[in-house]
Amino acid sequence: MSVRPDHPLDYPIWTALTTTQRALAEGDDRARRYPTEITPFAAIADASAESFAALAGLMSPQDIAVLFTPDPVNPPAEFRIALADTGEQMIVGTQVETPAHGVDIVTLGVNDVPDMIELTALTKPGPFNARTHELGTFLGIRIDGQLAAMIGERMKPAGYTEITAVCVHPSHRGRGYGRMLLSAISRQIVSRGEIPFLHVFTDNHSAIALYRRQGMEIRRRLHVRC
């Protein structure tokens, strides 16, 4: 493994932290990560002992580092692997419009963070911390005051923006809220001249089917380690 990607999305975390989101990066040319209160995502320049040592130097004993790589990596013994899985990287092909009929889509902010954390803890779309919302725009649908669904932006490798936190409260599923939010956030990303993409675990077949219906296509498979 070496961070010399043929495509900006081959190593999306490294690319984001060395381009659009470099101001957020902690670390150096061996290892970089986002602040832990934002997201546990990290990246290393290669699979050498020196790069893993640099990553370890950024972490406290209770920290988790999530890596996305084209090939599986095997960290040294001082690291404990909590998850070893694969995910599909999907990118927008032909954008599908899904109007928001009968609901208002609102922009979420700092005052919504407790509800956002509660919803993501319930639905488990991926890591969501107290400052994750600072990575980009987050949109939501509230029903009778309850946050029924949300979506947002996370990694921003040059020219691309990752869609994240796609989740719908169990009591509000089956109403098309996920498709409405996907359409709305994709439209905003494209309007800035960027290309939407996202990641989904390989075995999450229902989510992959939803994203395909919204015009997204699988670009490649990545390995997830944390």
Side-chain angles (χ1 to χ4, degrees):
M1 168 188 162
S2 179
V3 183
R4 294 182 176 85
D6 294 324
H7 190 283
L9 298 185
D10 287 347
Y11 293 90
I13 301 172
W14 185 271
T15 305
L17 290 175
T18 54
T19 59
T20 310
Q21 293 173 320
R22 60 186 175 274
L24 293 173
E26 298 176 350
D28 55 24
D29 289 343
R30 280 289 183 186
R32 295 178 183 236
R33 74 169 187 177
Y34 290 92
T36 55
E37 62 271 25
I38 293 181
T39 185
F41 285 6
I44 50 178
D46 53 39
S48 67
E50 292 79 8
S51 291
F52 276 110
L55 177 60
L58 297 173
M59 301 172 65
S60 61
Q62 69 272 18
D63 282 348
I64 296 172
V66 180
L67 309 179
F68 284 14
T69 57
D71 301 304
V73 294
N74 297 305
E78 59 265 31
F79 288 86
R80 181 175 67 87
I81 298 177
L83 173 71
D85 211 333
T86 62
E88 306 305 319
Q89 185 180 82
M90 303 187 71
I91 193 165
V92 71
T94 302
Q95 191 174 350
V96 175
E97 290 288 339
T98 303
H101 291 306
V103 296
D104 293 325
I105 294 177
V106 299
T107 301
L108 303 173
V110 64
N111 293 334
D112 300 293
V113 167
D115 289 343
M116 297 164 81
I117 290 176
E118 181 180 356
L119 181 58
T120 53
L122 176 65
T123 57
K124 296 178 171 44
F128 192 93
N129 298 336
R131 291 180 54 203
T132 302
H133 69 285
E134 296 178 16
L135 290 174
T137 300
F138 279 80
L139 303 177
I141 294 173
R142 287 190 176 275
I143 304 296
D144 297 328
Q146 181 185 46
L147 185 60
M150 64 176 277
I151 200 168
E153 301 171 357
R154 189 168 56 187
M155 286 186 269
K156 295 178 181 286
Y160 296 83
T161 291
E162 182 199 25
I163 297 172
T164 187
V166 185
C167 51
V168 180
H169 193 283
S171 63
H172 295 283
R173 288 175 180 163
R175 305 179 190 181
Y177 294 161
R179 294 194 303 274
M180 294 176 193
L181 289 170
L182 275 165
S183 179
I185 200 81
S186 296
R187 190 163 53 248
Q188 290 196 18
I189 294 168
V190 170
S191 72
R192 300 196 302 261
E194 300 161 5
I195 300 172
F197 75 105
L198 54 79
H199 296 101
V200 56
F201 282 116
T202 300
D203 62 359
N204 194 345
H205 304 296
S206 61
I208 291 173
L210 167 65
Y211 300 143
R212 286 189 186 277
R213 289 195 296 271
Q214 288 302 116
M216 303 199 81
E217 304 167 351
I218 292 176
R219 179 186 167 265
R220 70 164 304 150
R221 180 165 293 178
L222 293 177
H223 292 264
V224 183
R225 296 288 186 272
C226 71

